[in-house]
Amino acid sequence: MFMPMSISSDAALKPSLGIIADDYTGALMVACYLEAAGIYAPLVFDAKAAVPGARVIVAGTRTRLAPVEEALSDIKAIADAFTQLGYSRLSYKTSAGFDSTERGNIGPVADYLADRQGIRPVVMAAGFPEFNITTHQGYLFYRGRLVSESIKRFDPLTPMSDPDLVRFLSRQTTHGVGLINHIQMRQGPEAVALAADALAGAGNGHIFFDISDDQDIEIAARFAIERELVVVASDPFAVEYTRMLASGEGPQKPAPHHAKGPAAVLAGTVGPVILRQLEAFAKTYPVLSLDLLDPRGSEAVIGGALAWADQHIGAQPFAISTANDAGAAERAQAAFGPIAAARKAEYILASIASALRDRGIRRFVVAGGETSGAVVRSLGIGAVRAFAEGPIGTGFCVAEGPDPISLFLKPGKHGGDDILIQALDHMV
């Protein structure tokens, strides 16, 4: 649960925008992009953490998969903290594919932020053209295919079987969801404004914008700023919207530095992407795979993993993973249920992470959005400074202080086969 935070003031940087992200890796991605754009964007994972003042602040939450009531409670607490600090605009950053279930949590959070700020309609936008995730006529395409025909339809936690996001989001809210499509945006800002007014006049509380390309992002973000509307959107929209708001911020803060010390990889995501990445990693470094169905129980599994790790700490990096073959993941999900299996894996890896920190590990590579959240919390990290996007993209950050810890937080399906090794190479 988020609690009120204490953030030191900086008169030169008047608070402008508070971005609340639905997971930790997505929050970090946005912060990295903003840092690359010259915008100081401190990232908090624990609202009690004290961080320097800034025009823009980002919060990572674990609200994507939380029960609706729990998610809204966390959103309210962080929103209260941001408002108290003077952040007059609040936005919600979602995944590129609006990963969610028919109950939420995107619609409920959008309704909460709109009601809180007394502003409607809400601007919604999904997609990430750089990674070939787009929306057209309200339909979501994942890597060039309708999401319902892509690998996303097999996601164990948020399977996307309906590609029509306008229809899908309409199941999450009692307010209407209207669409402004790519063709309308091509007609220019005046056409967009007229279309939006017509949709709002018809009673739609949310307006969903196609993101077929980067120009769509620019048009929709500018519209949201000019109308001073609440934004609930994916990464590139959130970044462009923030860049427009925070332009002319002033001098950038000095770049951060990575922590020194031994390194470890923790992987809790499942699927073919991480399996290929672990296979590539295992050609150079040791890898331990854990079985969620191990009859000895979680504590024994954790103890055995730490005994194995003790043989490698300080000698070479290593990886510990709950990702086995696809059959193992399916068996665990069948035994515990998809959510409970994921939470079991997160508990095991988070417990291992905390113990590894006590054993001297200071650089962590973590694969999986929910796993990243569990690991960061177990390490007691409240705030980090993101590194600007680099040769292998985003995901690097450091918890600064007298005993710094460096992190590379990777979404489960992102990166090439060698990204785990590359991440270690760049954490110097």
Side-chain angles (χ1 to χ4, degrees):
M1 294 289 292
F2 283 109
M3 300 296 291
M5 66 170 66
S6 172
I7 297 184
S8 61
S9 63
D10 184 342
L13 299 176
K14 183 179 179 181
S16 176
L17 175 66
I19 303 171
I20 306 171
D22 66 352
D23 75 349
Y24 283 26
T25 55
L28 179 55
M29 180 179 288
V30 166
C32 290
Y33 279 126
L34 294 176
E35 293 277 354
I39 299 171
Y40 173 54
L43 171 57
V44 296
F45 298 121
D46 181 345
K48 295 179 292 184
V51 298
R55 286 190 66 186
V56 177
I57 190 168
V58 184
T61 71
R62 301 187 69 192
T63 54
R64 180 181 301 172
L65 300 177
V68 174
E69 293 76 15
E70 180 182 330
L72 290 176
S73 177
D74 282 355
I75 294 294
K76 180 181 184 302
I78 196 69
D80 286 346
F82 280 0
T83 300
Q84 183 179 359
L85 292 164
Y87 291 94
S88 56
R89 297 183 189 231
L90 301 175
S91 66
Y92 189 57
K93 205 292 295 181
T94 69
S95 65
F98 266 36
D99 295 359
S100 57
T101 67
E102 290 191 356
R103 191 175 179 209
N105 292 325
I106 295 172
V109 172
D111 287 339
Y112 170 76
L113 292 178
D115 292 342
R116 178 190 180 95
Q117 298 179 78
I119 300 172
R120 286 195 186 277
V122 174
V123 169
M124 292 181 164
F128 206 141
E130 180 182 347
F131 295 107
N132 199 18
I133 304 172
T134 59
T135 50
H136 191 74
Q137 299 290 352
Y139 282 74
L140 175 65
F141 291 82
Y142 186 84
R143 297 178 182 173
R145 300 183 65 84
L146 281 171
V147 68
S148 54
E149 299 175 6
S150 75
I151 60 172
K152 282 293 295 177
R153 71 186 188 277
F154 299 122
D155 190 299
L157 302 179
T158 55
M160 299 293 287
S161 58
D162 187 350
D164 185 340
L165 288 188
V166 173
R167 181 172 59 207
F168 183 74
L169 291 167
S170 295
R171 302 182 186 123
Q172 299 183 9
T173 174
T174 58
H175 297 274
V177 182
L179 170 67
I180 294 183
N181 62 44
H182 174 73
I183 296 172
Q184 290 171 299
M185 281 189 277
R186 277 292 174 266
Q187 296 170 3
E190 291 186 6
V192 168
L194 288 172
D197 289 341
L199 289 170
N204 290 289
H206 309 286
I207 299 178
F208 186 88
F209 284 77
D210 270 350
I211 298 300
S212 299
D213 55 31
D214 290 338
Q215 188 174 350
D216 287 347
I217 296 173
E218 181 180 351
I219 293 171
R222 192 167 299 281
F223 172 81
I225 289 173
E226 290 174 351
R227 295 292 183 96
E228 298 185 350
L229 298 176
V230 175
V231 167
V232 174
S234 55
D235 311 75
F237 191 108
V239 171
E240 181 64 18
Y241 171 77
T242 306
R243 288 176 60 185
M244 290 180 179
L245 274 180
S247 61
E249 174 185 313
Q252 171 65 293
K253 301 287 185 180
H257 299 281
H258 275 298
K260 305 298 182 182
V265 175
L266 300 173
T269 184
V270 298
V273 174
I274 189 60
L275 292 177
R276 289 195 301 269
Q277 292 167 347
L278 288 169
E279 183 179 1
F281 187 85
K283 294 178 181 178
T284 305
Y285 300 114
V287 175
L288 176 66
S289 294
L290 306 179
D291 184 359
L292 296 182
L293 294 175
D294 191 316
R296 297 177 299 161
S298 296
E299 301 308 320
V301 169
I302 293 167
L306 292 173
W308 177 88
D310 286 337
Q311 304 172 46
H312 304 288
I313 294 174
Q316 60 185 331
F318 56 88
I320 299 176
S321 170
T322 55
N324 294 297
D325 59 84
E330 291 173 359
R331 289 191 295 273
Q333 291 165 7
F336 305 117
I339 294 290
R343 294 293 180 250
K344 183 179 179 72
E346 291 160 20
Y347 170 76
I348 289 172
L349 291 177
S351 300
I352 290 171
S354 178
L356 291 178
R357 177 203 57 205
D358 295 342
R359 286 163 162 77
I361 297 293
R362 289 298 178 269
R363 295 179 295 145
F364 289 88
V365 174
V366 188
E370 292 297 304
T371 304
S372 294
V375 167
V376 167
R377 286 196 173 186
S378 76
L379 295 175
I381 295 174
V384 297
R385 176 77 187 280
F387 286 78
E389 181 185 16
I392 64 171
T394 62
F396 292 102
C397 63
V398 59
E400 298 175 304
D403 186 17
I405 294 178
S406 281
L407 299 160
F408 179 72
L409 307 181
K410 185 191 83 68
K413 298 178 178 65
H414 284 203
D417 291 353
D418 62 346
I419 194 169
L420 302 178
I421 293 176
Q422 286 195 60
L424 291 176
D425 292 342
H426 283 84
M427 295 173 75
V428 295

